[in-house]
Amino acid sequence: MTQIAVDRYAVFGHPIGHSKSPRIHAAFAEQTGQAMYYEAIEAPVDDFAGAWRAFVERGGRGANVTVPFKQAAFALADTLSARARLAGAVNTLQVGADGRVHGDTTDGIGLVRDLVAHAAPLEGARVLLLGAGGASRGVVEPLLEAGVAALTIANRTVTKAEQLAELFADKGAVDGCGFEAVTGEFDLVINATSASLAGDLPPLPERLFREGGMAYDMMYAAQPTVFLRWSAERGARTVDGLGMLIEQAAESFWLWRGVRPETATIRESLRSEL
Protein backbone atom coordinates (compact mmCIF):
# COMPACT_ATOMS: atom_id res chain seq x y z
CA MET A 1 0.00 0.00 0.00
CA THR A 2 1.33 3.44 -0.96
CA GLN A 3 1.71 5.76 2.02
CA ILE A 4 0.67 9.38 1.45
CA ALA A 5 3.13 11.95 2.78
CA VAL A 6 1.49 14.40 5.18
CA ASP A 7 2.90 17.89 5.63
CA ARG A 8 3.11 19.17 9.20
CA TYR A 9 1.94 22.57 10.41
CA ALA A 10 1.24 24.01 13.84
CA VAL A 11 0.19 26.98 15.91
CA PHE A 12 2.59 28.19 18.61
CA GLY A 13 1.44 30.07 21.69
CA HIS A 14 1.55 30.18 25.48
CA PRO A 15 -1.03 29.18 26.55
CA ILE A 16 -2.40 27.44 23.47
CA GLY A 17 -4.85 24.77 24.65
CA HIS A 18 -7.82 27.02 23.87
CA SER A 19 -6.79 27.55 20.23
CA LYS A 20 -9.32 26.83 17.51
CA SER A 21 -6.65 26.93 14.81
CA PRO A 22 -6.25 23.11 14.59
CA ARG A 23 -10.00 22.78 14.13
CA ILE A 24 -10.04 25.49 11.45
CA HIS A 25 -7.09 24.16 9.44
CA ALA A 26 -8.35 20.58 9.63
CA ALA A 27 -11.59 21.81 8.08
CA PHE A 28 -9.70 23.75 5.40
CA ALA A 29 -7.57 20.69 4.57
CA GLU A 30 -10.61 18.43 4.27
CA GLN A 31 -12.45 20.97 2.15
CA THR A 32 -9.54 21.44 -0.28
CA GLY A 33 -8.16 17.88 -0.29
CA GLN A 34 -4.79 18.82 1.19
CA ALA A 35 -2.66 16.12 2.89
CA MET A 36 -1.55 17.94 6.02
CA TYR A 37 -1.52 17.64 9.80
CA TYR A 38 -1.92 20.69 12.04
CA GLU A 39 -1.26 20.72 15.79
CA ALA A 40 -1.08 23.15 18.72
CA ILE A 41 2.31 23.57 20.41
CA GLU A 42 2.77 25.36 23.72
CA ALA A 43 6.30 26.72 23.51
CA PRO A 44 8.29 27.81 26.58
CA VAL A 45 7.88 31.54 27.12
CA ASP A 46 11.67 32.00 27.00
CA ASP A 47 12.48 29.62 24.13
CA PHE A 48 10.17 30.00 21.17
CA ALA A 49 13.13 29.64 18.79
CA GLY A 50 14.09 26.29 20.30
CA ALA A 51 10.54 24.98 20.04
CA TRP A 52 10.37 26.13 16.42
CA ARG A 53 13.67 24.43 15.52
CA ALA A 54 12.51 21.17 17.13
CA PHE A 55 9.28 21.34 15.11
CA VAL A 56 11.16 21.91 11.85
CA GLU A 57 13.47 18.97 12.64
CA ARG A 58 10.34 16.79 12.91
CA GLY A 59 9.35 17.87 9.41
CA GLY A 60 7.41 21.05 10.14
CA ARG A 61 6.64 23.09 7.02
CA GLY A 62 5.04 26.16 8.55
CA ALA A 63 3.20 27.59 11.51
CA ASN A 64 0.89 30.21 12.85
CA VAL A 65 2.21 32.20 15.80
CA THR A 66 0.09 33.83 18.47
CA VAL A 67 0.78 35.64 21.75
CA PRO A 68 3.34 36.06 23.14
CA PHE A 69 5.61 34.99 20.27
CA LYS A 70 4.85 37.28 17.29
CA GLN A 71 7.92 39.45 17.85
CA ALA A 72 10.10 36.35 18.42
CA ALA A 73 8.84 34.92 15.13
CA PHE A 74 9.71 38.22 13.44
CA ALA A 75 13.25 37.96 14.81
CA LEU A 76 13.94 34.41 13.63
CA ALA A 77 12.57 34.79 10.08
CA ASP A 78 15.23 34.86 7.35
CA THR A 79 12.99 36.86 5.02
CA LEU A 80 9.94 39.01 5.70
CA SER A 81 6.97 40.20 3.69
CA ALA A 82 6.65 43.97 3.37
CA ARG A 83 3.57 43.98 5.58
CA ALA A 84 5.30 41.94 8.31
CA ARG A 85 8.35 44.21 8.23
CA LEU A 86 6.15 47.27 8.66
CA ALA A 87 4.08 45.67 11.42
CA GLY A 88 7.17 44.47 13.28
CA ALA A 89 5.43 41.18 13.99
CA VAL A 90 4.88 37.80 12.32
CA ASN A 91 1.96 35.41 12.72
CA THR A 92 2.78 33.07 9.81
CA LEU A 93 6.04 31.19 9.23
CA GLN A 94 6.89 29.09 6.19
CA VAL A 95 9.91 26.90 5.54
CA GLY A 96 11.11 27.23 1.95
CA ALA A 97 12.63 24.51 -0.23
CA ASP A 98 16.06 25.91 0.66
CA GLY A 99 15.33 25.67 4.39
CA ARG A 100 15.07 29.43 4.85
CA VAL A 101 12.18 30.70 6.95
CA HIS A 102 9.80 33.32 5.57
CA GLY A 103 7.72 35.47 7.93
CA ASP A 104 4.41 37.14 7.11
CA THR A 105 1.43 38.58 8.95
CA THR A 106 -2.14 37.82 7.95
CA ASP A 107 -3.91 39.57 10.84
CA GLY A 108 -4.64 42.78 8.96
CA ILE A 109 -6.04 41.16 5.84
CA GLY A 110 -8.06 38.81 8.07
CA LEU A 111 -9.61 41.78 9.87
CA VAL A 112 -10.42 43.70 6.69
CA ARG A 113 -11.96 40.67 4.99
CA ASP A 114 -14.19 40.07 7.99
CA LEU A 115 -15.16 43.73 8.11
CA VAL A 116 -16.06 43.62 4.41
CA ALA A 117 -18.08 40.43 5.00
CA HIS A 118 -20.10 42.35 7.59
CA ALA A 119 -20.54 45.41 5.36
CA ALA A 120 -18.51 47.57 7.72
CA PRO A 121 -18.05 51.25 6.88
CA LEU A 122 -14.51 51.55 5.50
CA GLU A 123 -14.28 53.70 2.37
CA GLY A 124 -14.20 57.30 3.52
CA ALA A 125 -14.88 56.29 7.13
CA ARG A 126 -13.64 57.81 10.38
CA VAL A 127 -12.20 54.91 12.37
CA LEU A 128 -11.04 54.58 15.98
CA LEU A 129 -8.58 51.80 16.87
CA LEU A 130 -8.37 51.07 20.59
CA GLY A 131 -4.93 49.84 21.67
CA ALA A 132 -1.42 50.26 20.30
CA GLY A 133 0.04 46.84 21.05
CA GLY A 134 0.84 43.88 18.82
CA ALA A 135 -2.79 43.32 17.81
CA SER A 136 -2.94 46.84 16.41
CA ARG A 137 0.41 46.96 14.61
CA GLY A 138 -0.60 44.45 11.95
CA VAL A 139 -3.94 46.07 11.07
CA VAL A 140 -3.12 49.78 10.66
CA GLU A 141 -1.80 49.56 7.11
CA PRO A 142 -4.62 47.29 5.78
CA LEU A 143 -7.22 49.65 7.28
CA LEU A 144 -5.61 52.64 5.58
CA GLU A 145 -5.35 50.72 2.31
CA ALA A 146 -9.07 49.88 2.59
CA GLY A 147 -9.77 53.58 2.11
CA VAL A 148 -10.60 54.90 5.58
CA ALA A 149 -10.52 58.69 5.57
CA ALA A 150 -9.03 59.09 9.04
CA LEU A 151 -7.71 56.63 11.61
CA THR A 152 -7.24 57.52 15.27
CA ILE A 153 -5.22 55.16 17.49
CA ALA A 154 -6.06 55.53 21.19
CA ASN A 155 -4.06 53.89 23.95
CA ARG A 156 -3.61 54.10 27.71
CA THR A 157 0.07 54.97 27.20
CA VAL A 158 -0.14 57.98 24.90
CA THR A 159 3.41 57.73 23.56
CA LYS A 160 2.79 54.21 22.23
CA ALA A 161 -0.23 55.44 20.25
CA GLU A 162 1.72 58.41 18.92
CA GLN A 163 4.69 56.26 17.92
CA LEU A 164 2.47 53.76 16.11
CA ALA A 165 0.69 56.55 14.26
CA GLU A 166 4.02 58.08 13.25
CA LEU A 167 5.17 54.74 11.87
CA PHE A 168 2.31 54.79 9.36
CA ALA A 169 2.08 58.54 8.81
CA ASP A 170 3.09 58.23 5.14
CA LYS A 171 0.30 55.70 4.50
CA GLY A 172 -2.65 57.96 5.26
CA ALA A 173 -4.36 60.23 7.77
CA VAL A 174 -3.52 58.60 11.11
CA ASP A 175 -3.01 60.09 14.56
CA GLY A 176 -2.44 58.81 18.09
CA CYS A 177 -3.78 59.92 21.48
CA GLY A 178 -4.78 58.75 24.95
CA PHE A 179 -8.23 57.31 25.65
CA GLU A 180 -9.24 60.49 27.49
CA ALA A 181 -8.40 62.60 24.42
CA VAL A 182 -10.78 60.79 22.04
CA THR A 183 -13.26 63.28 20.59
CA GLY A 184 -16.00 63.25 17.98
CA GLU A 185 -17.99 60.37 16.55
CA PHE A 186 -16.78 57.44 14.47
CA ASP A 187 -18.17 55.19 11.76
CA LEU A 188 -16.19 52.21 13.07
CA VAL A 189 -14.57 51.53 16.45
CA ILE A 190 -12.23 48.51 16.72
CA ASN A 191 -11.19 47.16 20.11
CA ALA A 192 -7.68 45.70 19.82
CA THR A 193 -6.97 45.86 23.56
CA SER A 194 -6.95 42.82 25.84
CA ALA A 195 -9.49 44.49 28.17
CA SER A 196 -12.26 42.15 27.02
CA LEU A 197 -10.35 39.15 28.35
CA ALA A 198 -10.62 40.61 31.85
CA GLY A 199 -14.17 41.86 31.39
CA ASP A 200 -12.95 45.46 31.41
CA LEU A 201 -13.68 48.43 29.18
CA PRO A 202 -11.27 51.15 28.03
CA PRO A 203 -12.37 54.60 29.28
CA LEU A 204 -14.44 55.97 26.41
CA PRO A 205 -16.69 58.99 25.88
CA GLU A 206 -20.43 58.37 25.94
CA ARG A 207 -20.92 59.73 22.44
CA LEU A 208 -18.66 57.65 20.24
CA PHE A 209 -20.62 56.35 17.23
CA ARG A 210 -22.05 58.09 14.22
CA GLU A 211 -25.51 56.97 13.15
CA GLY A 212 -25.19 53.50 11.61
CA GLY A 213 -21.77 53.01 13.20
CA MET A 214 -20.18 49.66 13.97
CA ALA A 215 -18.26 48.31 16.97
CA TYR A 216 -15.79 45.47 16.32
CA ASP A 217 -14.01 43.52 19.06
CA MET A 218 -11.03 41.36 18.05
CA MET A 219 -11.92 39.07 20.97
CA TYR A 220 -14.82 36.64 20.76
CA ALA A 221 -16.83 34.51 23.15
CA ALA A 222 -20.16 32.72 23.45
CA GLN A 223 -21.66 35.97 24.78
CA PRO A 224 -20.92 39.51 23.62
CA THR A 225 -17.90 41.13 25.27
CA VAL A 226 -18.36 44.05 27.64
CA PHE A 227 -17.16 46.39 24.86
CA LEU A 228 -19.78 45.06 22.44
CA ARG A 229 -22.53 45.25 25.06
CA TRP A 230 -21.55 48.84 25.89
CA SER A 231 -21.52 49.73 22.18
CA ALA A 232 -24.89 48.10 21.46
CA GLU A 233 -26.43 50.13 24.29
CA ARG A 234 -25.29 53.24 22.42
CA GLY A 235 -26.84 52.19 19.14
CA ALA A 236 -23.88 50.60 17.36
CA ARG A 237 -24.02 47.47 15.24
CA THR A 238 -21.67 44.91 16.82
CA VAL A 239 -19.36 42.19 15.48
CA ASP A 240 -16.84 40.03 17.36
CA GLY A 241 -13.47 38.69 16.17
CA LEU A 242 -14.35 35.07 15.32
CA GLY A 243 -14.47 35.89 11.63
CA MET A 244 -11.09 37.63 11.80
CA LEU A 245 -9.57 34.47 13.28
CA ILE A 246 -10.97 32.38 10.44
CA GLU A 247 -10.03 34.83 7.68
CA GLN A 248 -6.44 35.26 8.85
CA ALA A 249 -6.18 31.46 9.01
CA ALA A 250 -7.49 31.20 5.44
CA GLU A 251 -4.80 33.62 4.26
CA SER A 252 -2.08 31.59 6.03
CA PHE A 253 -3.48 28.42 4.47
CA TRP A 254 -3.29 30.01 1.02
CA LEU A 255 0.32 31.11 1.61
CA TRP A 256 1.29 27.54 2.58
CA ARG A 257 -0.78 25.49 0.14
CA GLY A 258 -1.62 27.80 -2.78
CA VAL A 259 -5.33 27.06 -2.31
CA ARG A 260 -7.83 29.54 -0.89
CA PRO A 261 -10.45 27.83 1.28
CA GLU A 262 -14.08 28.88 1.62
CA THR A 263 -14.72 30.35 5.07
CA ALA A 264 -18.48 30.75 5.53
CA THR A 265 -19.11 27.11 6.45
CA ILE A 266 -16.44 26.92 9.16
CA ARG A 267 -17.60 30.30 10.48
CA GLU A 268 -21.13 28.95 11.00
CA SER A 269 -19.81 25.72 12.51
CA LEU A 270 -17.51 27.42 15.03
CA ARG A 271 -20.19 29.93 15.98
CA SER A 272 -22.55 27.11 16.86
CA GLU A 273 -19.87 25.51 19.06
CA LEU A 274 -19.18 28.59 21.20
Side-chain angles (χ1 to χ4, degrees), residues 101-113:
V101 179
H102 181 67
D104 204 340
T105 178
T106 64
D107 286 334
I109 197 166
L111 171 66
V112 170
R113 283 184 181 154

Side-chain angles (χ1 to χ4, degrees), residues 238-257:
T238 61
V239 180
D240 71 14
L242 181 63
M244 176 182 174
L245 172 70
I246 295 168
E247 293 297 340
Q248 64 83 22
E251 180 72 5
S252 294
F253 190 91
W254 178 78
L255 291 171
W256 294 327
R257 311 301 296 180

Side-chain angles (χ1 to χ4, degrees), residues 22 26 31 53 92-94 123 164 169 180 185-186 198-199 230 237:
Q31 176 197 129
R53 286 193 299 270
T92 304
L93 293 171
Q94 184 172 16
E123 184 72 35
L164 184 56
E180 70 287 345
E185 298 178 343
F186 297 85
W230 182 90
R237 189 158 58 97

